[in-house]
Amino acid sequence: MVYTAITGRFRVVIIGPARMLTAVYTFLLEFHHKAMTIRTILEFPDPRLRTTAAPVATVDKRIRHLLDDMLETMYEAKGIGLAATQIDVHERIVVMDLSEERDSPLILINPEVEIIGDGQLEHDEGCLSVPGFYETVSRPDCIRLRALNEKGEAFELEPDGLQAVCIQHELDHLNGKLFVDYLSALKRQRIRKKLEKLHRQSA
Ligand SMILES: [Zn+2]
């Protein structure tokens, strides 16, 4: 049975238990969906990308909400990593997902990296803040990562390959550094001019 009465600004709906459950479930789904926001990603040469991010003091509800937004923004942009700096939030937070299924997020809060080997790895890097450009960058291959997860628990990881590259790329963002900084001044200038032109055209 459904009975609807309009009382002032509120609509009162009296419904049976099964429909009530469905309604509650739908509300929760919608609420959860609405609670996440796709944020705007800053693009090179935006000076805000040069900000050094501050450590997170407490991993609380606000941070977890921010993590939801960051993951949503990264998945929407089809990226494999996103640093808070890129959405103009200057706290030491990174989200990543290197899985093909896009269902294995890795959260790094206050990440720190130590180089533990001599190997270097060359990899073609791209960046959501430098859209459309891919260039080869050489980085240490063997690193040790220490960070906090979304519950504020400390963990360690010894990543290699693409994961090691991605972690270092994202950590650079937290220090105001971009992958274009590893290129020649000429190449960087060329990318800057092309992006500035695109930004002017879309303004
Ligand atoms: Zn990037």
Side-chain angles (χ1 to χ4, degrees):
M1 187 187 77
V2 178
Y3 169 74
T4 308
I6 308 288
T7 52
R9 287 170 54 214
F10 302 101
R11 198 166 68 133
V12 179
V13 184
I14 302 160
I15 52 177
R19 292 188 67 161
M20 174 78 104
L21 270 180
T22 312
V24 168
Y25 184 63
T26 308
F27 171 77
L28 285 175
L29 267 184
E30 282 184 5
F31 180 76
H32 187 63
H33 186 70
K34 275 180 193 145
M36 288 190 279
T37 314
I38 291 168
R39 308 280 194 106
T40 305
I41 298 174
L42 302 178
E43 291 186 4
F44 177 68
D46 193 309
R48 290 171 289 181
L49 287 167
R50 298 308 188 177
T51 315
T52 301
V56 173
T58 322
V59 182
D60 53 13
K61 213 169 135 189
R62 181 184 68 83
I63 297 294
R64 278 187 285 273
H65 183 80
L66 176 61
L67 286 168
D68 281 345
D69 282 3
M70 287 177 65
L71 284 168
E72 188 83 345
T73 305
M74 176 186 73
Y75 287 130
E76 168 76 14
K78 298 183 169 47
I80 56 171
L82 182 78
T85 309
Q86 292 175 275
I87 56 162
D88 201 20
V89 173
H90 302 288
E91 295 180 83
R92 303 190 80 79
I93 306 171
V94 164
V95 297
M96 285 172 50
D97 192 340
L98 301 179
S99 70
E100 265 184 39
E101 295 76 21
R102 317 289 283 145
D103 60 358
S104 308
L106 177 66
I107 308 290
L108 311 178
I109 298 170
N110 296 343
E112 281 174 31
V113 156
E114 183 191 342
I115 297 161
I116 54 171
D118 296 330
Q120 290 277 318
L121 183 65
E122 286 202 335
H123 206 278
D124 279 350
E125 294 189 26
C127 179
L128 293 175
S129 294
V130 192
F133 294 90
Y134 297 87
E135 296 288 346
T136 308
V137 176
S138 177
R139 297 185 188 267
D141 191 14
C142 295
I143 59 169
R144 182 180 294 129
L145 165 84
R146 289 189 183 89
L148 303 178
N149 65 15
E150 68 278 12
K151 293 175 192 150
E153 300 159 345
F155 70 96
E156 270 191 32
L157 210 61
E158 286 188 18
D160 54 13
L162 178 61
Q163 197 180 35
V165 169
C166 193
I167 287 171
Q168 292 175 80
H169 174 117
E170 300 307 330
L171 254 75
D172 274 353
H173 277 301
L174 303 179
N175 296 322
K177 196 167 180 180
L178 295 164
F179 86 92
V180 294
D181 299 346
Y182 295 93
L183 311 177
S184 69
L186 188 69
K187 255 187 192 170
R188 188 165 50 254
Q189 192 62 9
R190 214 174 277 156
I191 294 173
R192 170 196 284 264
K193 289 218 167 109
K194 280 185 189 162
L195 282 175
E196 278 174 339
K197 193 177 166 191
L198 281 175
H199 295 157
R200 274 198 302 276
Q201 283 167 352
S202 63

